[in-house]
Amino acid sequence: MSPTLDIGGVVIIGGGGHAKVVIESLRAAGKTAAVIVDADPTPREVLGVPVVGDDLKLPALREQGFSELFVAIGSNRLRQKLGGKARELGFTLVNAIHPSAVISPSARIGEGVAVMAGVAINADSRIGDLAIVNTGAVVDHDCDLGAACHLGPASALAGGVTVGERAFLGVGARVIPGVTIGADTVVGAGGVVVRDLPDAVLAIGVPVKIKGDRP
Ligand code: JB2
């Protein structure tokens, strides 16, 4: 491997669309994305960051001295699984928080979390490990976001909303105060959630109706 690689930089898992936004958020926050491992190990660059192999390369990177890692994979289940593997290898999961995000000092942010540009996270909210709070999303006060969930771009949670592990809210989804969304549930783009949703369902519409199990 090139001796010029910065072992103080962050190892990125995944080299697709989500990785691009993560890399630029890290850079905006003054961090360096050093190398990428991707399921497709073909040597190439993503926004100037070299793809150096697939996940089998991770132990060697750790041995070389890399210690910080970010899982930049949109799939909630895969991101959670790969985050666990990276921790087992001794990596620390860093956060990618764009400096334009406004985060309450009383909010608690886990590890391996992406908070994209233009996000607002208000008082006493909690963001679980490996969650994605995507571009322009709003999390009002006292919300509780489970591990590896994903709030899509421009989605909005009113106060006291609970989002289960690996749940996904599509672009522009909205949730009224105090609602609980179950683990692994998907809310379609633009959906408006006005009642609790159970685990692992697909809910779409305004207001949302359950259309079956999560696809
Ligand atoms: O097990 C894996 C693995 N599986 C897929 N390990 C590693 N290291 N990489 C893996 N990949 C790689 O993730 C694929 O080879 C591909 O390069 C990348 C996924 O790229 P894609 O652009 O398809 O999806 P994404 O996860 O980066 O972004 C999705 O989620 C975002 C939140 C898209 O839906 C985006 O539009 C969305 N903004």
Side-chain angles (χ1 to χ4, degrees), residues 103-104 106-111 113 115 121-131 133 139-149 151 157 160-166:
I103 301 178
S104 160
S106 61
R108 286 157 292 149
I109 312 291
E111 296 176 351
V113 172
V115 179
I121 299 175
N122 284 348
D124 273 337
S125 282
R126 183 191 75 90
I127 313 294
D129 292 352
L130 293 153
V133 187
V139 179
D140 204 350
H141 65 91
D142 297 300
C143 289
D144 188 355
L145 274 59
C149 72
L151 302 189
L157 307 182
V161 169
T162 298
V163 178
E165 286 198 20
R166 298 173 303 278

Side-chain angles (χ1 to χ4, degrees), residues 13 17 22 36 39 42 58 76 93 106 133-134 138 148 151 172 183 199:
I13 296 185
V22 164
I36 292 169
T42 308
L58 287 170
N76 292 342
L93 303 183
S106 61
V133 187
N134 221 323
V138 171
L151 302 189
D199 292 352

Side-chain angles (χ1 to χ4, degrees), residues 17-181:
H18 187 50
K20 290 182 182 177
V21 187
V22 164
I23 288 165
E24 292 194 336
S25 288
L26 287 168
R27 287 176 178 162
K31 292 180 188 278
T32 305
V35 293
I36 292 169
V37 291
D38 192 276
D40 172 5
T42 308
R44 61 194 185 281
E45 290 192 348
V46 177
L47 297 180
V49 184
V51 176
V52 296
D54 59 19
D55 297 343
L56 296 175
K57 186 82 180 173
L58 287 170
L61 291 169
R62 185 72 193 92
E63 274 180 22
Q64 274 181 279
F66 286 98
S67 61
E68 296 194 328
L69 181 144
F70 193 92
V71 188
I73 298 270
S75 160
N76 292 342
R77 190 164 287 279
L78 182 57
R79 187 171 66 259
Q80 192 172 36
K81 181 177 153 201
L82 292 171
K85 285 195 171 173
R87 278 176 165 150
E88 281 170 16
L89 291 170
F91 286 100
T92 299
L93 303 183
V94 296
N95 291 334
I97 299 182
H98 194 280
S100 67
V102 178
I103 301 178
S104 160
S106 61
R108 286 157 292 149
I109 312 291
E111 296 176 351
V113 172
V115 179
M116 302 308 195
V119 161
I121 299 175
N122 284 348
D124 273 337
S125 282
R126 183 191 75 90
I127 313 294
D129 292 352
L130 293 153
I132 300 172
V133 187
N134 221 323
T135 309
V138 171
V139 179
D140 204 350
H141 65 91
D142 297 300
C143 289
D144 188 355
L145 274 59
C149 72
H150 177 185
L151 302 189
S155 58
L157 307 182
V161 169
T162 298
V163 178
E165 286 198 20
R166 298 173 303 278
F168 170 57
L169 274 64
V171 59
R174 285 161 290 161
V175 186
I176 70 166
V179 162
T180 294
I181 295 173

